[in-house]
Amino acid sequence: MRALDGDEKEAKRQAILDAADALFAKHQNLANVADVAKAAGLAKGTVYLYFQSKEEIYLALHLRHVEQFFTRLIGRLESDQPFGFDEMQSLAQEHILDATTYLPLGACCIGFAAGAVAKEASAHFQARLTAWLEAAGQGLERHFQKLPRGEGVRLLQHSYAIMVGLHSLLREARSVPKCEGMGTFQDEARLALTRYWTHVARIDESVKPRAKK
Amino acid sequence: MRALDGDEKEAKRQAILDAADALFAKHQNLANVADVAKAAGLAKGTVYLYFQSKEEIYLALHLRHVEQFFTRLIGRLESDQPFGFDEMQSLAQEHILDATTYLPLGACCIGFAAGAVAKEASAHFQARLTAWLEAAGQGLERHFQKLPRGEGVRLLQHSYAIMVGLHSLLREARSVPKCEGMGTFQDEARLALTRYWTHVARIDESVKPRAKK
Amino acid sequence: MRALDGDEKEAKRQAILDAADALFAKHQNLANVADVAKAAGLAKGTVYLYFQSKEEIYLALHLRHVEQFFTRLIGRLESDQPFGFDEMQSLAQEHILDATTYLPLGACCIGFAAGAVAKEASAHFQARLTAWLEAAGQGLERHFQKLPRGEGVRLLQHSYAIMVGLHSLLREARSVPKCEGMGTFQDEARLALTRYWTHVARIDESVKPRAKK
Amino acid sequence: MRALDGDEKEAKRQAILDAADALFAKHQNLANVADVAKAAGLAKGTVYLYFQSKEEIYLALHLRHVEQFFTRLIGRLESDQPFGFDEMQSLAQEHILDATTYLPLGACCIGFAAGAVAKEASAHFQARLTAWLEAAGQGLERHFQKLPRGEGVRLLQHSYAIMVGLHSLLREARSVPKCEGMGTFQDEARLALTRYWTHVARIDESVKPRAKK
DNA sequence: AATGAATGAGGTTTCATTCAT
DNA sequence: CATGAATGAAACCTCATTCAT
C-alpha cells in the first residue's frame, strides 16, 4: 500500500515474531504460516514479504530469544560489579532453563532440514551468535582472572551445549525425572554446569573478579 | 521376500531401515516414504505395514544407531578387562562423533513436532534408551570405584548431552571451526568430555579399575 | 486343503453371502472384503476363490434376494388358487418394500462402475432375472385374463421399476415423508403400484382369475 | 483465472463440473479427482478447494443436470400457454431419457456409500430437488384442472421414479430389448409414463389446460 | 485349498510457497 | 504493498486384488 521505511518494516517483522512466539508457546509446535499470519492480522502472502520461509520465521524468533539472553549477559559483564558463577547460573536459569520456549524452539531449529533455511539467513544467525559469544566470552575473561584467552567463548559454548543436550534428552523431564536417581531437567542442568565450571574455572576456590584496570 | 514369521518380519523392518539409512547418509535429509520404499524395493503401502509414519521410520533408525553404541559399550563393560576414560572416549568417537549420521539424525528426531510420532513409539524409544543408560551406568560404576550409586547413569547422560549439544552448535564445524579459537566439533567434544570426566571421576588422579572380585 | 465338490463349494459361497448380508444389514454399506472374510471365518484371499471381486459378492447377494422374491411369487402363481393385486402387493411389501436390505443393496448394485463386474457375472444376473420375470409374467397372464401376451412381464418390470425408482427418491422417507403432502416411501409405492395396476389390468373392475383350463 | 469474487468462484466450480461431465460422458465412470483436475486445467489441490470429495463433485454435477430439467420445466409451466402430457413427455425425453449422462450419473449418485457424502451436501441436494419438485408440482396443478392439491408433486415424483427405475432395469437396453416382447428403455419409459398419466390425470379424455384467469 | 503379506492405485488432506490482482 | 486463490508435493490412508507359501 505504502512503502514502509526500515523502522515500520522492522516493526512488522517483530509483530509477526510476536504472533509466532505466542503460538509456539501455546502449542509447543511450529504453527503453520496461515495461523501465524492470522494471529498477526495479516494475510498469508504478506508474511512472505518479511520472511523467506516458515523456517526463517522461527529461526528469527529463536535468534530473538538468544539475543535477549546475550544482551542481558553482555550488559552485565560490561559493568565492573563482581560477577560469579551463581549469577551466571541464575541468568541461564531465568532466560534458558526455566523459559518454556527457549530450548524447545531451539530444538526445532536444530532439526530444520538441510536446505530449508537460506544460506544467508543461516549465516546471519551464525554471525550474530558468534559475535555475542565472543563479546560475552571476553567479558567472562575480564571477570574471571584464571580464564586464558579464548577460554571464555569455549566455556560459554560448552555450557550452552550442556543445556541444549540435556534438554534434548530430558525434555519431558521438566517436572518428572526420567531415570532412577536422575533429577529434573533443570536439576541436572544446574548440576552439570556446576561441575563443568568447577573444573574449568575452579570457581569454588580461586576465580575472582580481576582487579579493575 | 514374504515375511511369514516374526524373524522374517523383523528382517524386513531392518531392510527398510537400511534403505532409510542409506538415503539419510546421502542427502542428510529425511527422504519421503515413497523414496524409502523404492530404495528398499518395496511398495509404499508395504512400508506402512511396518511403520506408522515417516517419523517413526527415522526414530527407529536412530534407535538402531543408539542400540549399536550401547550394545558395544554394555558388552565391553560386562567384561572384567580394565576400562578407562580413553576407551570410553574412543567408543564415543567411533560410534557417535565420527559417525556421519548418528548425531545429524538424532538432531532431526529431537525436532520432530509434538504429535508427529505416536505415543507408543515415543515411549518405546524412551524405554529402550533408559534401559541401556541404566545398564551402562551400572557397568561404569563397577569399573570406576569412586562413582557413587546412580552417578554412572548421570555421567553418561551428561556426556551424551555434551556431544548432542555441541553437535547442534557446531554441526557445520566438523572441519572448520566457527569461533576464533574454537576447534572442530570433534575437538571440542573431546575436550569438554575430558573436562567433565576429569571433574566427576578425577580420572586423571584416582579413578582406577576396581580390583577384580 | 481338500478338493471341494460342487455342494461344498456352493455351501461356502452361501456362507460368504450370509456374512456379507449381515454386514450390509448392519451398516447399510458394502463392507470391505477383509471384514466379510473375517465375518465368514475365512482369510481375505479365500473369498477370492469364490468370487471374482467385491462387486460380484454383492451382486450375488442381491441376486439371492431377488431369487427369494421370485421363487415365492412364481410358486404362488403356479397354483390355481385365485391370485389378485392385493396378494401381489403383499408379496412385494413383504419381500421388497419392507425388507431393509433388498432395495438399498439393489441401489448399490445399480451404481457399480461400468467394468467393475465381469461380463459373465453381469450376464448371469441378467439371465436369471429375465428367466424369473418371464416365468412370473406368464404366471400373471394365466391369472389375469385381460393381460395380453407379453404384458405380464411388462407389468412386472414396470412395477419393479416403480419400487426401485421411488426408493431412490425417497430412501430416507421410510418413516418420514420428504415433500409436503407426500407419504412415506412405502405409502407412495403402494399408491403408485395401485394406480399403475388399476390402469393396466383394470383390477378394480374386471381382472379376474381365468377359468381353470 | 483467479477467482476473486463469488461469480468467478462459481464460474470455476462450473468449469470443474464441465470437466467432470465430459469425463463421465466419455467413460461412463466417475473419473478420479486427479483426472478431473487435469481436464479442468487445475491442480488437484485446487479442486479440493471447491469440492470436499469426488462424490460431491458428481453429486453437484447430477444436481446441475436436474436443475437444467426443472428450470426448463418450471419456466414452461409458468407461462399460460396450454401444457399437456405430450409436451411433458417430450421435455423428459430430451433432458432425461435421451440424455446420455442424466440417468447413468444419477444411478451412480444413488449408489454412493452412506457417509461418502457430507451431510450438508446431501441435504443441499435434497433441498434443491424438493423445492423444484414442489414448484413444478404446483405448476402442473395450475395447468391440469383435475389435479387435486398436492397431486402435482406426487405425479412428478412417481413419473421420475418410473424413469429412474426403468433405467436401472433396462440400462443396457437403450437399443436392444432384454426380455422377449419388451421394447427399448425409452419405449418402455414412454409407455409406462403414458399409462400412469392416463390413470392419474385422465389425460386422454378430460385433462385440459385451465382457462386463463 | 487356504492363507495373509504384499501390492499399488488413488482418495484425502495439509501446507509451504507463489503469483495475479 | 497486501492479498488470498492457486499450486503441487507429499504425507497419510484405505482397500481391492494378487501371489508366494
Side-chain angles (χ1 to χ4, degrees), chain D residues 47-66:
Chain D
V47 173
Y48 280 97
L49 291 179
Y50 290 88
F51 297 96
Q52 300 220 16
S53 70
K54 176 183 158 183
E55 277 77 14
E56 290 188 15
I57 295 173
Y58 285 99
L59 192 61
L61 180 56
H62 181 44
L63 186 60
R64 207 169 72 165
H65 290 162
V66 174

Side-chain angles (χ1 to χ4, degrees), chain A residues 47 56 85 89 92 112 123 126 132 134 136 153 167 211:
Chain A
V47 171
E56 291 186 17
F85 174 66
Q89 204 188 34
F112 285 159
Q126 284 293 343
W132 288 325
E134 294 190 333
V153 173
H167 170 75

Side-chain angles (χ1 to χ4, degrees), chain C residues 4-25:
Chain C
L4 296 179
D5 61 28
D7 279 359
E8 283 177 274
K9 183 148 187 161
E10 183 53 27
K12 216 149 197 171
R13 258 181 74 96
Q14 295 302 323
I16 294 170
L17 294 182
D18 290 340
D21 207 5
L23 290 172
F24 186 83

Side-chain angles (χ1 to χ4, degrees), chain C residues 66-82:
Chain C
V66 175
E67 179 173 31
Q68 282 158 13
F69 170 67
F70 276 105
T71 300
R72 181 88 176 278
L73 174 61
I74 292 168
R76 176 62 190 80
L77 291 170
E78 278 168 353
S79 96
D80 288 332
Q81 291 284 323

Side-chain angles (χ1 to χ4, degrees), chain B residues 75-140:
Chain B
R76 175 62 190 81
L77 289 171
E78 277 170 352
S79 94
D80 287 332
Q81 290 284 322
F83 179 88
F85 174 66
D86 288 349
E87 198 174 345
M88 177 77 224
Q89 203 187 33
S90 86
L91 273 177
Q93 188 93 33
E94 178 188 344
H95 281 90
I96 301 178
L97 300 176
D98 287 347
T100 52
T101 54
Y102 192 115
L103 289 170
L105 179 54
C108 289
C109 291
I110 291 165
F112 284 160
V117 174
K119 274 259 163 55
E120 317 87 59
S122 183
H124 178 243
F125 185 91
Q126 283 293 342
R128 301 291 301 271
L129 182 55
T130 301
W132 288 324
L133 276 168
E134 293 190 334
Q138 284 165 23
L140 280 182

